[in-house]
Amino acid sequence: MRGWVYQAVALLLIGGAVWFLAHNTQENMRVRGIQSGFDFLGQAAGFDIGETMIAFDPSQSYGRALWVGVLNTLRVAVLGIILTTILGVLVGIGRFSHNALVRGLCYGYVELFRNVPILLQLLMWYLFFVEVLPQPQAAWNLGDLFFLSKGGFSMPAPVWAPGYAWMGLGALLGLVAGVAYRRWAQREFERTGRDRNRWLWPLVAMVGLALAGWAAGGAPREWTRPEQLAFMVEGGISATPEFMAVLIGLVMYTGAFVAEVVRGGIQSVSHGQTEASNALGLSRRQTMRLVVLPQALRVIIPPLTNQYLNLTKNSSLAVAIGYPDVVSIANTTLNQTGRAVECIAIIMIVYLSTSLSTSALMNWYNRRVAIKER
């Protein structure tokens, strides 16, 4: 009962503090004649956004403009987390390579990129795209399929058709089947000690069902390819210099920290585990996959979660190079409407929700991979 009373008192105190701050802020804004409220979200924005994932017109509302910014932020964060994980794991494992050149390059990359401020790196990559690269009419190209210039990076893309929706559904079903197979393989391994390949068959299932869905949807084959014109590259799908600079800068910076996290996790595993694996005749790849990494994950995942959160929050620095993320669009909205408290609150809610979602997902994964004592 005493514990419940303490919790109730704490909630009342926190609730009272929040109410006092909100009421005091609203009263001061009323006295100074400052408008408040979120009614502005339905008004016409009146400004254009250079890079969008969904259609947007200046006549549409501020709410839709902010949603465009949220999607741009999520695109950088999700792609950045995926690429950072791949880069960090490869570099972290490369620090243990027997090849002195590989080991030295990995060490040099970590020491260089983690000791230079992220804002300077973003500016460096942006200047590379807008100053070093050639003009769009003289873009670097590979096989007339991939073009890189000051206008950005262009590549072929499929033309949307219902068959791709069926393809996505097939891939989703294959993913579910692959997860079920991996769980069955884990139970069999614990029961019999026989290890099965837990990546090949799930991959075959996902690819096979995706192809089946693609065929069932009419097997669409139409693609749009980029074409170099007199003054620009047109067609295909393209990424702007701002997006490329933000993505590469965040990945290179955060990847250096992830590499150190992976290296520390691997080093935390007792050397006796490796010696026991060698005594059993396991190869270096099998030792790393079956013995070292499963034990290192319990050390790697908590600090890895922090790096994912840092990457997402550091994406707010994209405003410095003109990428239209949620911070940039919220600043424009603030300047036009004067609703500073509301715009700042929206930014806080976006980053808080993304950070909490990332933490929840990583905590779930941490429980999944935790070593369970018998």
PDB file of all heavy atoms in Angstrom, residues 248-262:
ATOM      1  N   ILE A 248      25.086   9.674 -46.388  1.00  0.00           N
ATOM      2  CA  ILE A 248      26.475   9.220 -46.332  1.00  0.00           C
ATOM      3  C   ILE A 248      27.163   9.757 -45.079  1.00  0.00           C
ATOM      4  O   ILE A 248      27.905   9.036 -44.396  1.00  0.00           O
ATOM      5  CB  ILE A 248      27.232   9.656 -47.598  1.00  0.00           C
ATOM      6  CG1 ILE A 248      26.649   8.958 -48.828  1.00  0.00           C
ATOM      7  CG2 ILE A 248      28.717   9.338 -47.481  1.00  0.00           C
ATOM      8  CD1 ILE A 248      27.261   9.403 -50.136  1.00  0.00           C
ATOM      9  N   GLY A 249      26.936  11.028 -44.755  1.00  0.00           N
ATOM     10  CA  GLY A 249      27.564  11.600 -43.569  1.00  0.00           C
ATOM     11  C   GLY A 249      27.152  10.891 -42.292  1.00  0.00           C
ATOM     12  O   GLY A 249      28.001  10.556 -41.450  1.00  0.00           O
ATOM     13  N   LEU A 250      25.861  10.624 -42.133  1.00  0.00           N
ATOM     14  CA  LEU A 250      25.387   9.933 -40.931  1.00  0.00           C
ATOM     15  C   LEU A 250      25.900   8.507 -40.863  1.00  0.00           C
ATOM     16  O   LEU A 250      26.282   8.019 -39.788  1.00  0.00           O
ATOM     17  CB  LEU A 250      23.857   9.946 -40.895  1.00  0.00           C
ATOM     18  CG  LEU A 250      23.178  11.291 -40.639  1.00  0.00           C
ATOM     19  CD1 LEU A 250      21.674  11.164 -40.762  1.00  0.00           C
ATOM     20  CD2 LEU A 250      23.548  11.825 -39.261  1.00  0.00           C
ATOM     21  N   VAL A 251      25.911   7.820 -41.999  1.00  0.00           N
ATOM     22  CA  VAL A 251      26.360   6.422 -42.011  1.00  0.00           C
ATOM     23  C   VAL A 251      27.846   6.328 -41.699  1.00  0.00           C
ATOM     24  O   VAL A 251      28.274   5.497 -40.880  1.00  0.00           O
ATOM     25  CB  VAL A 251      26.043   5.781 -43.375  1.00  0.00           C
ATOM     26  CG1 VAL A 251      26.739   4.427 -43.511  1.00  0.00           C
ATOM     27  CG2 VAL A 251      24.542   5.591 -43.536  1.00  0.00           C
ATOM     28  N   MET A 252      28.654   7.171 -42.315  1.00  0.00           N
ATOM     29  CA  MET A 252      30.094   7.111 -42.086  1.00  0.00           C
ATOM     30  C   MET A 252      30.451   7.494 -40.651  1.00  0.00           C
ATOM     31  O   MET A 252      31.342   6.891 -40.036  1.00  0.00           O
ATOM     32  CB  MET A 252      30.817   8.031 -43.066  1.00  0.00           C
ATOM     33  CG  MET A 252      30.626   7.661 -44.525  1.00  0.00           C
ATOM     34  SD  MET A 252      31.272   6.022 -44.944  1.00  0.00           S
ATOM     35  CE  MET A 252      33.024   6.325 -44.885  1.00  0.00           C
ATOM     36  N   TYR A 253      29.754   8.477 -40.109  1.00  0.00           N
ATOM     37  CA  TYR A 253      30.038   8.917 -38.738  1.00  0.00           C
ATOM     38  C   TYR A 253      29.583   7.875 -37.718  1.00  0.00           C
ATOM     39  O   TYR A 253      30.361   7.428 -36.867  1.00  0.00           O
ATOM     40  CB  TYR A 253      29.340  10.249 -38.487  1.00  0.00           C
ATOM     41  CG  TYR A 253      29.504  10.781 -37.084  1.00  0.00           C
ATOM     42  CD1 TYR A 253      30.699  11.360 -36.670  1.00  0.00           C
ATOM     43  CD2 TYR A 253      28.456  10.709 -36.169  1.00  0.00           C
ATOM     44  CE1 TYR A 253      30.850  11.860 -35.383  1.00  0.00           C
ATOM     45  CE2 TYR A 253      28.599  11.212 -34.883  1.00  0.00           C
ATOM     46  CZ  TYR A 253      29.790  11.780 -34.497  1.00  0.00           C
ATOM     47  OH  TYR A 253      29.933  12.261 -33.221  1.00  0.00           O
ATOM     48  N   THR A 254      28.331   7.457 -37.798  1.00  0.00           N
ATOM     49  CA  THR A 254      27.801   6.512 -36.818  1.00  0.00           C
ATOM     50  C   THR A 254      28.416   5.129 -36.996  1.00  0.00           C
ATOM     51  O   THR A 254      28.589   4.395 -36.023  1.00  0.00           O
ATOM     52  CB  THR A 254      26.273   6.430 -36.941  1.00  0.00           C
ATOM     53  OG1 THR A 254      25.722   7.739 -37.033  1.00  0.00           O
ATOM     54  CG2 THR A 254      25.667   5.718 -35.744  1.00  0.00           C
ATOM     55  N   GLY A 255      28.764   4.760 -38.244  1.00  0.00           N
ATOM     56  CA  GLY A 255      29.378   3.454 -38.481  1.00  0.00           C
ATOM     57  C   GLY A 255      30.678   3.278 -37.730  1.00  0.00           C
ATOM     58  O   GLY A 255      31.024   2.160 -37.313  1.00  0.00           O
ATOM     59  N   ALA A 256      31.432   4.363 -37.531  1.00  0.00           N
ATOM     60  CA  ALA A 256      32.683   4.267 -36.788  1.00  0.00           C
ATOM     61  C   ALA A 256      32.422   3.890 -35.333  1.00  0.00           C
ATOM     62  O   ALA A 256      33.147   3.081 -34.741  1.00  0.00           O
ATOM     63  CB  ALA A 256      33.437   5.596 -36.861  1.00  0.00           C
ATOM     64  N   PHE A 257      31.377   4.452 -34.740  1.00  0.00           N
ATOM     65  CA  PHE A 257      31.040   4.109 -33.355  1.00  0.00           C
ATOM     66  C   PHE A 257      30.492   2.685 -33.261  1.00  0.00           C
ATOM     67  O   PHE A 257      30.792   1.962 -32.306  1.00  0.00           O
ATOM     68  CB  PHE A 257      30.022   5.107 -32.804  1.00  0.00           C
ATOM     69  CG  PHE A 257      30.579   6.482 -32.577  1.00  0.00           C
ATOM     70  CD1 PHE A 257      30.514   7.445 -33.568  1.00  0.00           C
ATOM     71  CD2 PHE A 257      31.182   6.810 -31.374  1.00  0.00           C
ATOM     72  CE1 PHE A 257      31.027   8.713 -33.367  1.00  0.00           C
ATOM     73  CE2 PHE A 257      31.699   8.071 -31.152  1.00  0.00           C
ATOM     74  CZ  PHE A 257      31.625   9.028 -32.153  1.00  0.00           C
ATOM     75  N   VAL A 258      29.674   2.303 -34.241  1.00  0.00           N
ATOM     76  CA  VAL A 258      29.140   0.937 -34.240  1.00  0.00           C
ATOM     77  C   VAL A 258      30.275  -0.070 -34.369  1.00  0.00           C
ATOM     78  O   VAL A 258      30.245  -1.143 -33.745  1.00  0.00           O
ATOM     79  CB  VAL A 258      28.103   0.773 -35.366  1.00  0.00           C
ATOM     80  CG1 VAL A 258      27.680  -0.691 -35.503  1.00  0.00           C
ATOM     81  CG2 VAL A 258      26.888   1.644 -35.110  1.00  0.00           C
ATOM     82  N   ALA A 259      31.281   0.234 -35.180  1.00  0.00           N
ATOM     83  CA  ALA A 259      32.427  -0.668 -35.333  1.00  0.00           C
ATOM     84  C   ALA A 259      33.134  -0.887 -33.997  1.00  0.00           C
ATOM     85  O   ALA A 259      33.534  -2.010 -33.664  1.00  0.00           O
ATOM     86  CB  ALA A 259      33.406  -0.107 -36.362  1.00  0.00           C
ATOM     87  N   GLU A 260      33.284   0.179 -33.207  1.00  0.00           N
ATOM     88  CA  GLU A 260      33.906   0.036 -31.893  1.00  0.00           C
ATOM     89  C   GLU A 260      33.019  -0.756 -30.931  1.00  0.00           C
ATOM     90  O   GLU A 260      33.516  -1.511 -30.095  1.00  0.00           O
ATOM     91  CB  GLU A 260      34.206   1.416 -31.309  1.00  0.00           C
ATOM     92  CG  GLU A 260      35.393   2.105 -31.960  1.00  0.00           C
ATOM     93  CD  GLU A 260      36.675   1.319 -31.739  1.00  0.00           C
ATOM     94  OE1 GLU A 260      37.286   1.461 -30.675  1.00  0.00           O
ATOM     95  OE2 GLU A 260      37.056   0.551 -32.646  1.00  0.00           O
ATOM     96  N   VAL A 261      31.722  -0.585 -31.052  1.00  0.00           N
ATOM     97  CA  VAL A 261      30.801  -1.371 -30.228  1.00  0.00           C
ATOM     98  C   VAL A 261      30.932  -2.854 -30.557  1.00  0.00           C
ATOM     99  O   VAL A 261      30.991  -3.705 -29.654  1.00  0.00           O
ATOM    100  CB  VAL A 261      29.351  -0.880 -30.451  1.00  0.00           C
ATOM    101  CG1 VAL A 261      28.358  -1.850 -29.821  1.00  0.00           C
ATOM    102  CG2 VAL A 261      29.165   0.513 -29.869  1.00  0.00           C
ATOM    103  N   VAL A 262      30.984  -3.166 -31.845  1.00  0.00           N
ATOM    104  CA  VAL A 262      31.117  -4.564 -32.262  1.00  0.00           C
ATOM    105  C   VAL A 262      32.466  -5.121 -31.818  1.00  0.00           C
ATOM    106  O   VAL A 262      32.554  -6.252 -31.318  1.00  0.00           O
ATOM    107  CB  VAL A 262      30.950  -4.675 -33.788  1.00  0.00           C
ATOM    108  CG1 VAL A 262      31.276  -6.086 -34.273  1.00  0.00           C
ATOM    109  CG2 VAL A 262      29.527  -4.301 -34.192  1.00  0.00           C
TER     110      VAL A 262
END
